[in-house]
Amino acid sequence: MAGTAELIAQGLQRHQAGQWDAAARLYAQALDVTPRFPEALHLLGVLAHQRGAHDQAVTHFQQAIAANPNEAAYHSNLGSALHALGHYDAAVDSYGAALRLDPRRPETHHNLGNTFSARQEFQAAAASFQSAIALDSQYAKAYMQLGRVSQRLSQDEEAVTALRRAIELAPGLVAAYELLADSLRRLGQRDEAIEVYEQFLLHDPNCAPAIYNKGVIELDDYRLVAAELSFARAIELAPDFAEAYCNLGITYLAQGRVREAIENFRAAVRIRADYAMARSNLLMALHYDPETDEETLYEEHLQWSAVLERIETPVLANTRDPHRRLRVGYVSPDFREHAVSRFFEPILSQHCREAVHVTCYADVAKPDATTTHLNTLADNWRNVHGLSDNEFAAHVRRDEIDLLIDLAGHTAGNRMTAFARRLAPVQVSYIGYGSTTGLTCMDYRIVDHVTNPADETSWHTEELARHPLGFACYAPPHDAPPVTVPPSIETGRVTFGCFNNIDKLSPPVVQLWAQLVNAVPDSRLLLKTRAFNDPGAAEAWRRQFAAAGLAPERLELLGRSRTVAEHLAEYRHVDIALDPFPYTGSTTTCEALWMGVPVVSLRGNNYVGRMTASLLETLGAKELIAETQAAYMAIAERLATDARSLLAYRKDLRGAMAGSAICNATAYTRGLEVLYRDMWQRWCGEQR
C-alpha cells in the first residue's frame, strides 16, 4: 500500500491536472494511512475552496492548523476561504497569523489587501499591495489591485502608474486595461483612455468586453459614430451582450435615431428581463416616438413595475403628527449643471425651514460648482453615488424621511429600483420625468392644469397633484448675456432656431420645419445640440433635412458651447424659436424666452407634449400655442413677417418672465409646501 507521502504526491498530480475527484480520493486515502495528517487536510481545503465549497474549506483548514499551527500557508488559505464567505474580520486575523509566521509571503499581503478593500479600508489595502510588490516586483495582480484602490482614494495619477506597470508585466490582464482607461478618463485624458483599449485589442482583436468598454468611453465623449461602431462590433462578437445593446440604444438616441434606439433597448430586455437600466431607457425613448400612444406608454411602465417592483414592508418610525415640521428628502443624479437644477435650485433656496427640513440625496457621478452651491442650501446633504439600493435605503430610513421626492423618474442614473421598495411614508415624482413612473408605491406626481387637465384620462399609477402656478419654477442663469435685437434687423432674413436635444426632432418635425423654411423667403434654420459636435452625426442630419426638401445652405448646425453663458449668447442669431413635438421643451423654452426669443409650440396630448404650452400660458403668451400643425405653420409664418412683434417680444419677454409665476420662487415654493402638507396629513389620517 502506498505511503502518505506517495499518496499526497499522486493527489497533487491529479489536482494540478484538473482531476479533482481523483485528487480528493487520494487525499482521503492519505488520511486513512495517517489520520489528521495536516497537509492532506490542507489540500482537501484547497480543493473545496476551488470548488466553491468555502464552508467545507474552512473546516479542513482549521483542522490542518490544529494539527500544525506553525504553517503560514494554512493560515493564509483559511483567510481566503473566510474572505469568500464574507467573514472579513476573521479573514484579516488569519492573514495576520500567516504573516507573523512568514512575513515574506507576497500572496498573503496581496490577499490581505483584497480583504481590507472589501472592508473599504483603502489606505490599509494600498499598504498591503505595496508590501506584496516590495517582496515581488513582478506581481502584476498586486499592481492592478493597487491601481484599483488608488482610484477609490481619488489618486488617479498613482492609479495610472500602477496599472501601466500591471499591463507591462501581464499584457493579457483585461481588468487592468479597464481600470487604466477609467482613471485616464477621469483625468480628462479621453484619447489616451481609448488608446489603452486599442492597445489591448492588438493582443486580442475579438475581445467583445474590451471593444464594448472602448465604446463606453467614446459615448461618454460624444464620439457617437465611433461608439456606434464599437457597440455594434461587440454585439457581433457576443450576440447576448445585453449591455452592448443598451448602450447602442443610448448612442442611437443621442443621434436622434429613436426607432433604432427602441429596437436595441427591447433587445437588451429580451436578453435580460430584469435589466432595469435598459427598461428605463426604453420608457424614455418611447416618449420621443410620435407613434407611441398614451395607452401603450402606460402599459410599458406597468411592465417595468411588474418585473422590477419589490415592495418591502418596512417598519416606519415616522410620527403621525399632521402639523409638525416635515422631513423632506430630494433624490437626484442631476444636482449639478443640469436642466433639473435650474428648476430645483429656486425651490431649495426658498423652502420655509420652519415648515420643512430638507435632505438632498445626491447621486452625482461628477460633482461641479452647482453641486457645491446646492449643498450649501440643504439642511442635510448625503452623497449616495455608488451606494447599493440597500445602502441608499438605509440612509433614507435612518433619516426618518416623511416625503421622499424623486427628481429623475426613468432618466439616466435614476433610483427607481430603490423607490420600488417603499422607503418613506409618502413618495412623490416631480420635475425630472415626463410620465408616470409605473410604480404602485409612488403615491403622487406633481403636474399642473395645463400639462394634465383634470377632465382627461389619467394614465398614471400615481395620484396627480396639480400645482396652481405651473409644473415648475425656473431660475435664470445669473450670467445670462443681455438680450439683443432680432438678428433679422441686421441680416434682412429671418432665422428660425431650436436648441433642444436632437432626439426630440421627430420625422414630422423635420418635414414641417423644412416646409416652413421653404415657405418663408430667404429664411434659415439654426439647430444647436451636443450631437453636432460629432461630424458624422451632423452630416446625417443634413441629409435628413435635404431629403425633406431643405437646401443645405439654409441649414446651420452648431454643437455644444463651453459654458451656459456662451450657449445663451447664440440666441442672438435666432429670431423665432421652434418647439419640437411630440416632446416639447422645458429648460430650452425657458432659456429662449429669457433671451427674448418667442417660442412657437404645438400643444400635445400628454405632459411632455404640453410643457411649453404650460409655460406660455403662465407667461400670458397663448398666441404662440398651436393646436394643429397647420396652425403652427401659420403662427411661425406670421411672426416671420412681423418685425414689430419680434422687436416687442425681444424687448418685453425677459421682464415678463421675471414678473411671472415661472420665476416667482417664493410663491411657487409655498404652493409646493401646501401640496406636501396635504399629502402628509392624508397619510397621517390613514387607518393605522
Side-chain angles (χ1 to χ4, degrees):
M1 181 177 178
T4 303
E6 184 180 350
L7 288 168
I8 292 292
Q10 291 175 6
L12 274 172
Q13 187 178 20
R14 299 290 192 280
H15 194 155
Q16 292 164 356
Q19 300 170 18
W20 288 356
D21 290 340
R25 286 193 295 270
L26 289 163
Y27 297 149
Q29 289 175 26
L31 287 173
D32 288 339
V33 175
T34 308
R36 299 180 65 248
F37 186 67
E39 187 58 16
L41 292 166
H42 171 245
L43 289 170
L44 282 170
V46 171
L47 192 56
H49 184 42
Q50 290 174 321
R51 284 174 155 168
H54 306 301
D55 282 319
Q56 184 180 350
V58 166
T59 299
H60 286 309
F61 290 139
Q62 288 174 336
Q63 290 171 342
I65 290 168
N68 179 9
N70 297 317
E71 179 56 57
Y74 299 174
H75 293 277
S76 184
N77 286 333
L78 173 59
S80 296
L82 289 166
H83 178 107
L85 291 168
H87 302 162
Y88 300 135
D89 293 344
V92 168
D93 290 341
S94 291
Y95 291 135
L99 290 172
R100 284 191 293 275
L101 291 167
D102 184 359
R104 299 192 60 78
R105 286 176 56 86
E107 296 84 359
T108 304
H109 287 286
H110 171 268
N111 293 339
L112 176 59
N114 285 337
T115 303
F116 279 136
S117 184
R119 293 202 309 192
Q120 299 192 5
E121 298 173 20
F122 301 119
Q123 292 284 6
S128 291
F129 295 133
Q130 287 164 346
S131 295
I133 290 165
L135 293 167
D136 181 0
S137 62
Q138 308 298 303
Y139 203 158
K141 287 186 177 179
Y143 279 107
M144 184 181 76
Q145 297 293 16
L146 177 59
R148 192 189 300 275
V149 298
S150 295
Q151 284 184 344
R152 298 300 301 265
L153 292 166
S154 299
Q155 298 170 350
D156 282 298
E157 292 182 355
E158 291 83 349
V160 166
T161 299
L163 293 164
R164 286 198 186 281
R165 177 62 175 155
I167 291 170
E168 179 184 343
L169 292 168
L173 206 56
V174 178
Y177 289 87
E178 295 175 2
L179 292 165
L180 175 57
D182 187 49
S183 276
L184 289 168
R185 179 184 58 79
R186 291 195 293 187
L187 290 168
Q189 300 173 28
R190 298 181 187 276
D191 290 337
E192 292 85 346
I194 291 172
E195 287 174 6
V196 167
Y197 281 117
E198 290 175 343
Q199 176 188 353
F200 174 76
L201 290 169
L202 291 175
H203 297 280
D204 186 356
N206 294 323
C207 179
I211 296 169
Y212 165 82
N213 286 322
K214 181 168 82 75
V216 169
I217 297 172
E218 290 163 339
L219 175 58
D220 194 40
D221 204 30
Y222 251 63
R223 304 182 190 191
L224 300 177
V225 174
E228 176 190 341
L229 293 172
S230 292
F231 295 135
R233 176 60 176 157
I235 291 167
E236 181 183 355
L237 293 166
D240 291 335
F241 201 157
E243 290 81 2
Y245 280 104
C246 183
N247 276 280
L248 182 56
I250 294 170
T251 305
Y252 281 138
L253 199 60
Q255 296 178 68
R257 296 160 64 179
V258 175
R259 296 285 175 81
E260 291 162 286
I262 290 171
E263 290 173 6
N264 279 274
F265 294 141
R266 290 198 187 282
V269 169
R270 281 195 297 272
I271 294 167
R272 208 167 82 216
D274 63 348
Y275 192 174
M277 180 188 296
R279 285 191 175 275
S280 286
N281 286 336
L282 171 61
L283 296 178
M284 191 69 201
L286 288 169
H287 287 84
Y288 299 114
D289 185 356
E291 298 299 317
T292 304
D293 60 36
E294 283 298 282
E295 184 175 2
T296 298
L297 194 60
Y298 180 65
E299 291 297 329
E300 291 282 359
H301 282 81
L302 293 184
Q303 182 63 25
W304 189 103
S305 178
V307 174
L308 290 157
E309 189 166 18
R310 299 287 185 271
I311 302 175
E312 299 174 354
T313 54
V315 177
L316 298 172
N318 309 69
T319 305
R320 288 181 184 259
D321 179 349
H323 305 294
R324 67 170 170 81
R325 186 187 188 196
L326 296 178
R327 301 185 68 84
V328 176
Y330 289 100
V331 185
S332 178
D334 301 321
F335 292 148
R336 53 190 172 89
E337 185 55 59
H338 186 276
V340 166
S341 291
R342 285 282 159 214
F343 297 110
F344 179 62
E345 189 273 343
I347 293 167
L348 185 59
S349 66
Q350 293 301 315
H351 261 312
C352 175
R353 291 312 197 255
E354 293 179 358
V356 298
H357 175 282
V358 176
T359 298
C360 288
Y361 297 94
D363 207 348
V364 182
K366 299 176 183 177
D368 57 17
T370 298
T371 310
T372 302
H373 172 61
L374 293 174
N375 191 341
T376 66
L377 299 176
D379 296 305
N380 190 21
W381 184 274
R382 292 199 182 280
N383 177 14
V384 297
H385 182 65
L387 297 187
S388 68
D389 282 351
N390 284 338
E391 292 167 325
F392 171 69
H395 278 301
V396 175
R397 288 168 179 163
R398 275 198 302 268
D399 292 335
E400 296 184 15
I401 296 298
D402 300 317
L403 292 93
L404 191 64
I405 319 297
D406 172 60
L407 305 179
H410 289 283
T411 61
N414 71 76
R415 283 280 182 176
M416 284 293 96
T417 53
F419 273 86
R421 300 178 174 199
R422 169 65 71 185
L423 304 185
V426 180
Q427 298 191 150
V428 184
S429 175
Y430 179 47
I431 295 178
Y433 189 60
S435 190
T436 181
T437 61
L439 298 180
T440 59
C441 64
M442 190 69 78
D443 304 296
Y444 299 94
R445 181 159 180 263
I446 297 174
V447 297
D448 68 31
H449 70 283
V450 177
T451 61
N452 298 84
D455 60 351
E456 71 176 14
T457 302
S458 173
W459 300 101
H460 288 80
T461 55
E462 308 87 355
E463 180 176 336
L464 298 184
R466 293 175 177 84
H467 196 300
L469 298 183
F471 72 92
C473 179
Y474 176 68
H478 68 277
D479 56 351
V483 174
T484 62
V485 297
S488 55
I489 291 178
E490 298 179 3
T491 64
R493 64 172 183 267
V494 168
T495 299
F496 298 101
C498 177
F499 291 4
N500 280 272
N501 287 337
I502 204 66
D503 44 22
K504 293 186 178 182
L505 272 60
S506 62
V509 167
V510 173
Q511 291 294 328
L512 187 66
W513 288 0
Q515 182 183 346
L516 171 62
V517 175
N518 284 329
V520 178
D522 202 32
S523 63
R524 299 288 188 274
L525 177 61
L526 171 61
L527 303 179
K528 183 178 187 296
T529 184
R530 186 179 181 184
F532 296 150
N533 287 105
D534 186 308
E539 182 55 34
W541 276 91
R542 292 185 191 279
R543 291 195 298 269
Q544 282 200 54
F545 274 95
L550 186 64
E553 63 271 15
R554 302 185 74 175
L555 176 66
E556 183 179 358
L557 306 182
L558 295 179
R560 188 180 189 181
S561 301
R562 292 181 303 167
T563 66
V564 173
E566 290 180 4
H567 170 73
L568 296 179
E570 295 294 346
Y571 278 106
R572 70 187 185 276
H573 300 303
V574 178
D575 291 283
I576 302 164
L578 300 177
D579 197 31
F581 55 86
Y583 201 127
T584 62
S586 52
T587 308
T588 308
T589 298
C590 289
E591 290 174 344
L593 295 171
W594 189 253
M595 296 308 298
V597 181
V599 181
V600 180
S601 183
L602 175 63
R603 190 194 303 269
N605 61 357
N606 58 14
Y607 180 99
V608 298
R610 297 169 178 157
M611 293 185 295
T612 293
S614 175
L615 293 165
L616 291 174
E617 287 205 20
T618 302
L619 191 59
K622 290 185 179 181
E623 73 277 5
L624 297 172
I625 305 171
E627 305 299 334
T628 66
Q629 290 190 29
Y632 185 105
M633 275 277 292
I635 293 170
E637 285 186 79
R638 177 184 58 76
L639 276 176
T641 58
D642 188 352
R644 291 182 63 182
S645 289
L646 290 179
L647 194 58
Y649 279 122
R650 217 71 175 207
K651 174 175 171 289
D652 298 335
L653 275 177
R654 180 172 288 190
M657 279 276 287
S660 75
I662 296 171
C663 295
N664 189 339
T666 301
Y668 190 89
T669 307
R670 293 294 86 77
L672 197 62
E673 289 166 354
V674 169
L675 293 178
Y676 289 170
R677 181 63 62 179
D678 179 64
M679 295 170 188
W680 174 249
Q681 290 180 343
R682 290 175 65 181
W683 181 80
C684 288
E686 290 175 358
Q687 185 74 30
R688 299 193 184 188

